Amino acid sequence: MSDVVHYAVRDGIAVITLDNPPVNGLGNALRAAIMERLKKADADPAVKGALIIGSAKAFSGGADIREFNQPRTKPDLFEVNDQQDAMSKPLIAAIGGFALGGGLELALACHYRIAAPKAQLGLPEVKLGILPGSGGTQRLPRVIPMAEAVRMMTTGNSIPAEKAKELGLVDEIAQGDLLEAALGFTKNILKQAKKNPRVRDMKPRLEGDPKAFFAQVREQVAKESKGYPAPLVIVGCAEAAATLPFDEGRKVERDGFAKLVVSNESKALRHMFFAERQTSKIPDVPEDTPTREVKKAAVIGAGTMGGGIAMSFVNAGIPVTLIDTTEEFINKGFKKIQDNYAATVSKGRLKQEDMDKRLGLIKKATKVEEAKDADIIVEAVFERMDVKQDIFRKLDAIAKPGAILASNTSTLDVDKIAEATKRPQDVIGTHFFSPANVMRLLEVVRGKKTGKDVLATTMKLGKALKKVPVVSGVCDGFIGNRMIEKYGQQSLFLLDEGCTPQQVDAAAQKWGLAMGPFTMGDMAGLDIGWEIRKRRYQERPDFVYSKVGDRIAELGRFGQKTGKGWYRYEPGNRKPLPDPEVDKLISQYRKEQNIQTRAISDEEIVERLVYALVNEGAKILEEGIALRASDIDMVYLTGYGFPPFRGGPMFYADTVGLEKVLNSIQTFQKGYQGAVWKPAPLLVKLAKEGKKFNA
Ligand code: NAD
């Protein structure tokens, strides 16, 4: 038998130790091994009781994600659970670290549970759009009060040992060594010679009328689950637990699981889960590539981005020297950071002492020389090549050997920036998103000469900063902004053709985007896009825009910050209000351009916006700017408010079917400004072959 489980007998108690690192994932081998040892323990007359224990870190993290796409072999977890129920001897789960998903279901099918003080218990399946499929929905509400069980299962949030004890999910909190405590606990149980309390035989913990209770729970959960199907299916299972015999309830659970696991929402959430774990895999940079130590950082430019980047470093405990040109600017930048933390403290989400600790890690400076002992220097000054090159020339002169020189540029050529130094191997792009202390996305821009160790170090650092680092090659806008430009271009054409900003935004939002293009523009500042377009008119005369965006900007309507943009804003209020002046301006423009308007459906609006992303994404993929389609999806999921249940633009296109996507694009080619729609060759090829972006 494999050694994912160890078996020993101590004082007449069988100790079944799970040893399947890193998290005791309940893969094929582990399930079979547990089953075998349970039978062995039950059959051995010298054994009086048994306990299952994992590592200090993990009792079990549930299903083994490494086996998700592999065939499952017998026994299933519910068959192991049946064996647990069939045990004639007391069976105890000794939970050190986390017991999650199938791991908690394994513990729930034991007769007793004892947990280390730091243990965490939960059923997080809902976060992947599914439900606990091995009796969890039936056993949990028999052990803890129904309302608590529903909350745990529909949010997926775990609870600490102390709370679990309070609710009745664990019988005892272990003091000292977990195994010794569990052995002591088991001996006590044996002394009492009680009948084994099987959870399946217990009464569900619900007082009062189930009908009224579940009507109310359904209403509440429907509100919170925002169109995701799993939470309500879980409520249905919980209701079955309350009203049906155990085995019938388990059938409801199995049916619910089967339905959810094939839903697009669950597929999208699982795609996202795996996509996040993929981003750090770089084909020519193996995982054992040596990395450099990053113990100290410096940030040049204490503006919007520099401040947020400095916060990201100190939040991760990395001291940072923050540099701007004058005392005034550096103090202003530092004050903003202070205010930012103070707001978090006042909301009760950060302790004052932690705020002080973090601020204490920031050193203010006005000279680039002060960055000389930093292991990484992130430049976040104005978006101008001459300014950036000048900084990098200076950094080349003062930075210590081996320091990583990073630029936060959003559009400029990282290779050109690197040319200003004699160490282009140390230069890389770190494109944070605004607000940099909040947004999870970090585009890591790999220059032509960026060293592999520099790339590996930056990816590792990105994770340490709690970001999702995604590699991008060098191109204008990198992955995210290059795609969003095509999306923005379509949004303006939609206005030309007859839509209002609020119609476009409403359609986008209804589909699931966090906000529509015009609300987003007003938030980011319309001057930014205007500047980019003005540059494009020079550099890329082939790139066509509706001039309606420029007209708005020419009036000084830069969005929220000026109180007017595509919408108008009341002082102190961020709610976008439709503005007849904007409607007038748009219709004037249509008249001048002699554009025939027409009614445009919400469906077309969404297709035009999303397929513009998809088509550009396909080009980015083909050019090797992105390593894989799922990286593009992660960029949109973590940086652009793309709805998780759609799985990202490339995954969404896969679910629609690439042939269908291509057909729509070909239709758009015949419409207004159709020349901008050139189907990406990769899209054409995959559509023809009946394939997907995410293979
Ligand atoms: P900002 O204008 O808010 O801040 C720039 C700061 O750099 C200012 O405080 C300025 O005084 C300082 N600075 C200028 N020259 C300097 C020098 N020689 N030495 C030291 N400090 C200097 O700009 P921002 O919005 O923070 O943008 C900074 C960079 O980040 C740009 O490259 C921008 O494209 C990029 N970026 C911005 C965003 C965004 O949403 N604002 C998002 C991603 C990337």
Side-chain angles (χ1 to χ4, degrees), residues 221-240:
V221 171
K223 237 188 276 161
E224 287 164 4
S225 57
K226 296 191 189 107
Y228 285 82
L232 280 175
V233 178
I234 289 172
V235 173
C237 294
E239 186 167 23

Side-chain angles (χ1 to χ4, degrees), residues 10 20 40 50 131 223 247 277 310 340 353 386 397 451 461 467 501 504 507 558 583 605 644:
R10 276 189 56 186
N20 186 26
K40 182 173 170 171
L131 54 76
K223 237 188 276 161
D247 286 321
R277 281 149 187 80
N340 227 322
E353 61 191 82
D386 56 337
L461 173 68
K467 305 287 175 199
V504 175
F558 292 162
D583 296 337
I605 292 172

Side-chain angles (χ1 to χ4, degrees), residues 263-281:
S263 68
N264 277 341
E265 288 86 355
S266 169
K267 283 183 191 159
L269 292 173
R270 282 178 284 149
H271 168 69
M272 184 168 161
F273 180 85
F274 286 108
E276 185 169 344
R277 281 149 187 80
Q278 281 284 316
T279 64
S280 51
K281 299 199 169 75

Side-chain angles (χ1 to χ4, degrees), residues 443-506:
E443 280 183 333
V444 175
V445 186
R446 181 181 190 174
K448 266 198 213 85
K449 296 192 177 155
T450 303
K452 289 186 182 180
D453 59 336
V454 170
L455 182 58
T457 306
T458 309
M459 296 300 283
K460 194 170 149 196
L461 173 68
K463 286 200 172 155
L465 300 185
K466 299 228 160 57
K467 305 287 175 199
V468 176
V470 177
V471 179
S472 170
V474 174
C475 68
D476 195 338
F478 313 123
I479 298 172
N481 284 345
R482 177 169 153 187
M483 287 163 68
I484 207 76
E485 196 163 352
K486 300 292 167 129
Y487 167 98
Q489 184 189 41
Q490 282 305 314
S491 71
L492 296 180
F493 290 158
L494 285 164
L495 297 189
D496 289 359
E497 274 195 279
C499 293
T500 59
Q502 47 276 25
Q503 186 192 353
V504 175
D505 282 353

Side-chain angles (χ1 to χ4, degrees), residues 584-655:
K584 216 160 46 188
L585 185 144
I586 297 171
S587 71
Q588 178 96 30
Y589 179 75
R590 289 177 190 137
K591 239 182 254 153
E592 277 170 35
Q593 301 291 315
N594 224 351
I595 304 168
Q596 286 293 321
T597 59
R598 65 184 174 97
I600 300 179
S601 68
D602 284 3
E603 193 190 345
E604 181 180 337
I605 292 172
V606 169
E607 283 197 351
R608 296 243 309 250
L609 295 175
V610 177
Y611 294 172
L613 295 176
V614 172
N615 199 40
E616 196 62 22
K619 290 178 190 171
I620 282 171
L621 198 54
E622 196 164 26
E623 290 168 24
I625 295 292
L627 290 172
R628 50 184 81 83
S630 64
D631 279 6
I632 300 177
D633 288 333
M634 274 329 281
V635 165
Y636 268 77
L637 290 163
T638 55
Y640 293 83
F642 209 85
F645 69 89
R646 303 281 188 195
M650 309 315 274
F651 182 85
Y652 175 70
D654 286 342
T655 59

Side-chain angles (χ1 to χ4, degrees), residues 299-307 309 323-326 329-330 332-333 336 365-366 368 379-384 387-388 390-391 394 407-412 430-435 481 524 528:
V299 174
I300 320 264
T304 311
M305 294 308 289
I309 296 168
I323 303 167
D324 210 299
T325 45
T326 64
F329 290 151
I330 188 66
K332 199 171 126 199
K336 221 165 158 197
T366 52
V368 167
E379 165 278 310
V381 303
F382 304 134
E383 185 76 345
R384 272 178 39 196
V387 180
K388 303 232 186 235
D390 186 45
I391 298 259
K394 283 189 187 143
S407 172
N408 187 51
T409 179
S410 10
T411 48
L412 300 174
T430 47
H431 186 212
F432 288 82
F433 284 68
S434 183
N481 284 345
I528 297 179

Side-chain angles (χ1 to χ4, degrees), residues 49 85 144 148 178 244 306 522 532 540 543 581 605 646:
D85 277 331
I144 70 172
E148 300 283 353
L178 176 64
L244 298 174
D522 272 4
I532 294 176
R540 299 270 312 265
F543 209 100
E581 260 183 53
I605 292 172
R646 303 281 188 195

